[in-house]
Amino acid sequence: MLVTSRSYAEYEAMFDLKELPDSVLDCCAGGAGFTAEAAARGVDAIAADPAYELDHPELVDSVRRSLPATSGIVGEHEGSFVWHWYGSPERKDQLRIEAADRFLQDVAAAPERYVAAGLPDLPFGDRRFELVLCSHLLFTWADKYDRDWHAAALRELIRVSNAEVRIFPLVLQGAGEPIPWLPDLLDSLEGVTYEIRKVPYEFQVGADQMLVITRT
């Protein structure tokens, strides 16, 4: 199981976050340090991920083993990545290690913030969160999860949001191919408006846009 650790700084850039609302869901969060940092800033922050079903030693092991595994994906598609945001591979690795440490400390200290759940079925009430974030799951793995799964996942993220859903990136992992059925899928959504917005982050070549869905 790959349990990726991304930092608060990466989230700020990926999702173009200026200020956080009162409540935020990160789904599926993996070993990200975002929830710990957001909670420290006074936000009602919750992370959801199937990996949280693991007991603590197994979770620690999965997070630690996933740190070098993500670098392997980059190595396989070296020409599809750029380094202007991170500055260097060493800086990326340092951010991820710090994020993993922050996550593991917080999940031990405040396990109630970390809910074992995954898309497309979340154990939260309708309109529970002002902002819902989804990083590197939808569209990233469109070669493994089909259009119907994505439609159900999007509906679920919208259901638990009271205002806005943000999803990044909008291309496949690895070489970064576009998702051919994305426009039709977005047009099929009801009760929302959507926008594809450029963000101040790029790692995969061309993966510099997020999807913003707003409830109407």
Side-chain angles (χ1 to χ4, degrees):
M1 179 183 292
L2 192 64
V3 187
T4 305
S5 299
R6 291 185 172 87
S7 65
Y8 189 90
E10 288 169 286
Y11 271 65
E12 279 188 311
M14 290 187 302
F15 294 110
D16 196 20
L17 297 174
K18 304 293 193 298
E19 295 182 4
L20 292 179
D22 292 339
S23 58
V24 179
L25 172 66
D26 183 11
C27 178
C28 292
F34 172 80
T35 295
E37 179 64 28
R41 298 178 184 214
V43 175
D44 173 18
I46 298 294
D49 197 287
Y52 304 155
E53 292 180 343
L54 299 173
D55 61 33
H56 189 70
E58 288 180 302
L59 184 58
V60 171
D61 183 61
S62 292
V63 168
R64 295 300 186 200
R65 284 188 290 105
S66 296
L67 288 168
T70 57
S71 296
I73 295 174
V74 176
E76 291 173 11
H77 303 275
E78 186 175 352
S80 299
F81 291 85
V82 292
W83 295 97
H84 54 260
W85 190 87
Y86 289 106
S88 68
E90 292 77 18
R91 177 58 179 156
K92 179 184 79 71
D93 291 345
Q94 185 60 36
L95 283 171
R96 299 289 173 89
I97 291 168
E98 291 171 358
D101 289 342
R102 189 70 188 270
F103 164 75
L104 291 172
Q105 291 169 9
D106 199 58
V107 76
E112 68 278 3
R113 284 201 276 268
Y114 298 88
V115 178
L119 292 168
D121 297 300
L122 298 175
F124 308 113
D126 294 355
R127 297 179 177 267
R128 165 66 174 82
F129 302 96
E130 290 299 309
L131 176 63
V132 175
L133 304 175
C134 184
S135 159
H136 294 85
L137 175 60
L138 270 72
F139 312 121
T140 299
W141 299 101
D143 55 340
K144 300 184 184 299
Y145 299 104
D146 63 15
R147 185 188 187 281
D148 289 343
W149 182 92
H150 277 76
L154 283 174
R155 288 194 296 267
E156 187 71 345
L157 293 173
I158 293 165
R159 181 187 68 79
V160 301
S161 168
N162 190 43
E164 198 170 84
V165 177
R166 298 188 180 192
I167 298 168
F168 179 89
L170 305 181
V171 298
L172 282 172
Q173 62 88 23
E177 297 95 336
I179 312 303
W181 38 259
L182 176 59
D184 287 342
L185 175 58
L186 296 180
D187 287 341
S188 74
L189 299 176
E190 298 179 352
V192 300
T193 60
Y194 70 84
E195 171 192 1
I196 293 177
R197 186 186 305 171
K198 189 174 177 64
V199 300
Y201 175 93
E202 184 182 15
F203 185 34
Q204 282 180 283
V205 173
D208 59 354
Q209 295 178 316
M210 70 172 167
L211 171 64
V212 182
I213 300 174
T214 306
R215 295 194 68 149
T216 57

